[in-house]
Amino acid sequence: MVGDARGERVEDRQGLLTQDDHMRDMERIEMEVERIFRPTPTVARVIARIAPRNPEAWRRANLAMRIEVEQPEGGRPVSRVYTVRSFDPERSSIEIDFVVHPDDSPAMRWLAQARPGTRTWFVGPRPHFLPDYESGRRIAIFADETAIPAVYAILNAWQQPARGVVYIETTDRAAFEELPQVLGVESHLFLRRADEQPGKTSYLLDAAQALPDPASWRVWAAGEREVARAIRAYFEGHGLGRDEVRVFGYWRNGVSSSQIDRARLGHYADMRTRKEGLERFEDLDLPV
């Protein structure tokens, strides 16, 4: 056993996570690390080879994958969700960015021991929210550093002639500067100070509240869960519906990813008892 992996695992005693309603078009695939490097001070970029059954499914923007980062004895693997930064169909390789933290977490332990040739399994791809291009309205994007890979993928696949604005909060200017420059999209950086705790600042919410005519925008946001909820509540308070405010909470201050995953699984199990499917799942409505 590695570290405290046993306490981190999330047991799926009903096998719900392998059933068709949850898997949809996902598959369990082995990946082999080819290269790991640090493109910016806070990011470790993993390049890995995969052999998916349907490579076309990996061409979409903002895809999530759940990587198995530790294997406790006698239980399910400990896994963490990451966004695919990019997919190269010619080489069948993916880029995944890990935001480097000083804490002793399962993902950081995996990253510390990973080398070219390291193999692990993951489940994916899970399409996540994209901006609402169909409305013809301006699009506002709000993200902290954990969502920069998703913003990168979205901007790389931006649909013209949509116009928008991007607000990023991070301590790493270089990570922001890696984002694509897109015609019709303005990008703004909130450079968080070293003494400011991530998820506890008001930069992104203040930017949302400063937008003129908030009801005229379409919104995409991701990052700390309470910040994401506050952004969603602000725009919903101005009359936008859930399909117009596409928001996701990647993490929460003081709560481990395993705790969030347990809450997700418990809520999903309740839904399945009521004969409801994954399409009704509202992640930010979980009490966590």
Side-chain angles (χ1 to χ4, degrees):
M1 185 179 305
V2 182
D4 60 351
R6 182 166 54 189
E8 290 282 357
R9 71 189 184 203
V10 178
E11 296 297 353
D12 176 21
R13 303 191 187 283
Q14 300 178 62
L16 295 174
L17 301 181
T18 59
Q19 293 179 10
D20 289 346
D21 179 71
H22 183 266
M23 289 296 290
R24 304 295 170 104
D25 294 325
M26 297 194 301
E27 59 179 316
R28 188 168 181 260
I29 311 173
E30 189 177 41
M31 74 179 194
E32 180 178 354
V33 174
E34 286 192 321
R35 185 184 176 208
I36 302 176
F37 64 102
R38 296 285 289 270
T40 75
T42 65
V43 173
R45 183 161 299 153
V46 175
I47 313 296
R49 283 286 187 94
I50 63 174
R53 290 195 305 264
N54 179 18
E56 285 300 314
W58 292 87
R59 291 177 179 265
R60 296 182 59 181
N62 196 20
L63 297 173
M65 57 191 293
R66 183 172 283 276
I67 303 174
E68 297 175 6
V69 293
E70 285 187 346
Q71 177 61 70
E73 296 176 7
R76 296 181 68 249
V78 176
S79 62
R80 292 294 182 260
V81 177
Y82 286 89
T83 300
V84 178
R85 183 177 186 267
S86 68
F87 171 68
D88 182 347
E90 299 296 324
R91 302 186 65 254
S92 196
S93 68
I94 51 175
E95 290 185 334
I96 313 127
D97 280 358
F98 288 67
V99 178
V100 178
H101 301 289
D103 58 315
D104 181 35
S105 68
M108 292 300 98
R109 291 194 290 268
W110 182 87
L111 187 63
Q113 61 82 37
R115 300 289 186 273
T118 295
R119 293 173 178 267
T120 192
W121 292 84
F122 68 91
V123 173
R126 173 80 78 198
H128 273 190
F129 301 127
L130 290 171
D132 178 11
Y133 298 108
E134 302 301 321
S135 70
R137 302 292 185 93
R138 292 172 297 174
I139 296 166
I141 293 178
F142 306 91
D144 66 19
E145 52 261 77
T146 63
I148 287 178
V151 176
Y152 177 92
I154 288 169
L155 291 177
N156 247 1
W158 189 264
Q159 295 185 19
Q160 295 291 348
R163 297 293 180 263
V165 61
V166 175
Y167 297 97
I168 302 290
E169 178 189 325
T170 178
T171 60
D172 190 346
R173 180 184 295 275
F176 169 79
E177 290 175 346
E178 274 200 319
L179 291 173
Q181 299 297 307
V182 177
L183 179 67
V185 180
E186 299 177 6
S187 295
H188 302 274
L189 170 65
F190 297 114
L191 196 61
R192 196 175 61 247
R193 300 192 311 270
D195 63 342
E196 292 180 303
Q197 185 179 351
K200 293 294 186 179
T201 68
S202 64
Y203 294 122
L204 296 177
L205 181 58
D206 288 349
Q209 293 173 341
L211 285 179
D213 192 11
S216 70
W217 294 81
R218 296 298 178 261
V219 178
W220 185 98
E224 202 278 333
R225 294 177 71 84
E226 289 303 296
V227 174
R229 285 189 178 112
I231 291 172
R232 183 177 71 173
Y234 173 75
F235 285 102
E236 288 183 345
H238 285 273
L240 296 186
R242 290 285 172 93
D243 60 335
E244 299 167 319
V245 185
R246 298 175 176 178
V247 180
F248 203 88
Y250 286 175
W251 62 286
R252 183 173 178 188
N253 268 310
V255 180
S256 75
S257 294
S258 292
Q259 289 174 284
I260 295 173
D261 282 344
R262 290 188 192 103
R264 286 172 174 152
L265 180 56
H267 181 61
Y268 181 58
D270 291 342
M271 291 177 60
R272 297 297 290 145
T273 298
R274 299 192 301 270
K275 309 299 182 183
E276 296 176 343
L278 193 65
E279 64 276 356
R280 298 288 301 276
F281 192 94
E282 286 282 354
D283 186 79
L284 273 185
D285 290 341
L286 293 177
V288 62

